[in-house]
Amino acid sequence: MKVYISADMEGITGLVDAEDVQPPGRDYERGRVMMTEDVNAAVRGAFAAGASEVLVNDAHGPMRNLLPDLLDQRAVLIKGRPKVMGMMEGLSAEYDAALCIGFHARAGILGVLSHSFMGHEIEDIWLDDRPVGEIGLLHATAAAYGVPVVLLTGDDAACAELTAWDPSVATVPVKYAKDRFAAQLVPVAEARAAIEDASAKALSSRFKVPTVDNQDRTLAVRWQSASVASHLPAIPGVGKRDDRTVEVTGTMPDLYRLFNLFLRVATAITSNPPYC
Ligand SMILES: [Zn+2]
């Protein structure tokens, strides 16, 4: 069984503030250890469930957060950026299941460190006119490859967001949002044990495998800056809904790849790198 893990940081056990998840934040280095240990718990669960291979993609901000020497040595790590598929780099139809570790709710939701890819630049995203964030886009793209997301960990808001997309996916809340930068934490040892247990259970269960679908979907993105929205239509197929919203239609893997290009263009225009 080949398992894919996309690892973000805002939804990691014990982390609640930008200082915990962004370099050179005061607690960022400690945050890296916390992130690596949450991922290790998921990796242990995967191998306990019979995984033959676990690929981990560092999917947060600089994408150099996970500590290779602390990471479970049975897992293979993708580190650094840019990557054509960003938070989903390395995923393909050959994987049997995907796990989202350390995820957060989308922009506009009251969740710990909630945002959508670029905290200051992206106001809203829609998939077929349904509000969506990093969670829903990853779930839809993995499904298009025929790969089910079987587990998500993060704050309670992130868990609720995925359950609204797909109630069949297991979730582990490691903290309960009190505000965007405050949470009631699940004790660290308890949270990690819950992640390991849920990973083993989810991967041992008969999970539903989505059929590969190449149907066209429509992605719309509303930017804080009209400047970004005025440049993107230079890309063939990209249109404008209004001064700050662009839209494009295509299959999910193509849309996700193109969306990562949007992030590169927006970074160049605004000098604000995505922190996913
Ligand atoms: Zn992130």
Side-chain angles (χ1 to χ4, degrees):
M1 175 173 51
K2 295 180 71 153
V3 175
Y4 178 86
I5 295 179
S6 180
D8 202 351
M9 198 167 185
E10 290 87 353
I12 293 297
T13 300
L15 311 185
V16 296
D17 193 275
E19 295 274 344
D20 301 335
V21 300
Q22 286 177 13
R26 202 183 56 181
D27 299 317
Y28 171 67
E29 288 305 324
R30 188 71 199 151
R32 299 179 70 185
V33 173
M34 302 292 285
M35 182 181 180
T36 308
E37 291 297 1
D38 271 18
V39 170
N40 280 345
V43 170
R44 285 194 299 275
F47 281 106
S52 54
E53 181 189 324
V54 176
L55 178 66
V56 178
N57 179 35
D58 194 324
H60 168 74
M63 300 191 173
R64 300 187 306 276
N65 314 287
L66 290 166
L67 300 163
D69 55 334
L70 188 61
L71 187 70
D72 188 310
Q73 297 300 294
R74 297 171 293 176
V76 174
L77 174 63
I78 296 177
K79 178 178 179 172
R81 73 170 185 200
K83 303 176 271 206
V84 169
M85 287 296 270
M87 298 182 77
M88 300 189 73
E89 186 66 31
L91 183 72
S92 68
E94 69 182 76
Y95 283 88
D96 299 292
L99 284 64
C100 300
I101 302 300
F103 275 53
H104 54 81
R106 66 182 174 83
I109 299 295
L110 188 62
V112 176
L113 296 163
S114 58
H115 67 281
S116 294
F117 298 91
M118 299 181 81
H120 305 293
E121 298 306 329
I122 293 180
E123 282 188 12
D124 260 313
I125 307 174
W126 296 268
L127 187 60
D128 300 336
D129 294 324
R130 181 179 175 180
V132 69
E134 298 171 24
I135 291 172
L137 284 184
L138 188 148
H139 180 274
T141 306
Y145 282 124
V147 179
V149 174
V150 299
L151 176 67
L152 177 136
T153 73
D155 73 328
D156 54 337
C159 295
E161 186 168 315
L162 181 57
T163 300
W165 272 92
D166 183 348
S168 75
V169 182
T171 60
V172 175
V174 298
K175 52 196 169 189
Y176 295 84
K178 289 288 183 188
D179 207 324
R180 197 149 173 253
F181 304 109
Q184 181 169 325
L185 306 177
V186 172
V188 172
E190 185 185 328
R192 289 174 187 163
I195 293 172
E196 181 171 350
D197 185 54
S199 171
K201 272 208 186 85
L203 291 165
S204 311
S205 68
R206 292 171 57 78
F207 45 81
K208 195 162 53 65
V209 176
T211 43
V212 172
D213 89 47
N214 294 313
Q215 60 165 322
D216 276 355
R217 315 284 298 265
T218 297
L219 179 73
V221 184
R222 184 168 179 77
W223 302 88
Q224 190 275 335
S225 135
S227 169
V228 175
S230 70
H231 282 80
L232 292 175
I235 301 170
V238 177
K240 283 181 88 172
R241 265 191 192 174
D242 59 43
D243 281 353
R244 292 196 283 126
T245 308
V246 299
E247 64 179 353
V248 60
T249 297
T251 66
M252 273 317 298
D254 289 349
L255 289 181
Y256 201 89
R257 190 174 302 110
L258 189 53
F259 179 75
N260 275 283
L261 185 63
F262 284 4
L263 297 179
R264 303 268 86 76
V265 172
T267 301
I269 292 171
T270 65
S271 310
N272 274 328
Y275 56 80
C276 293

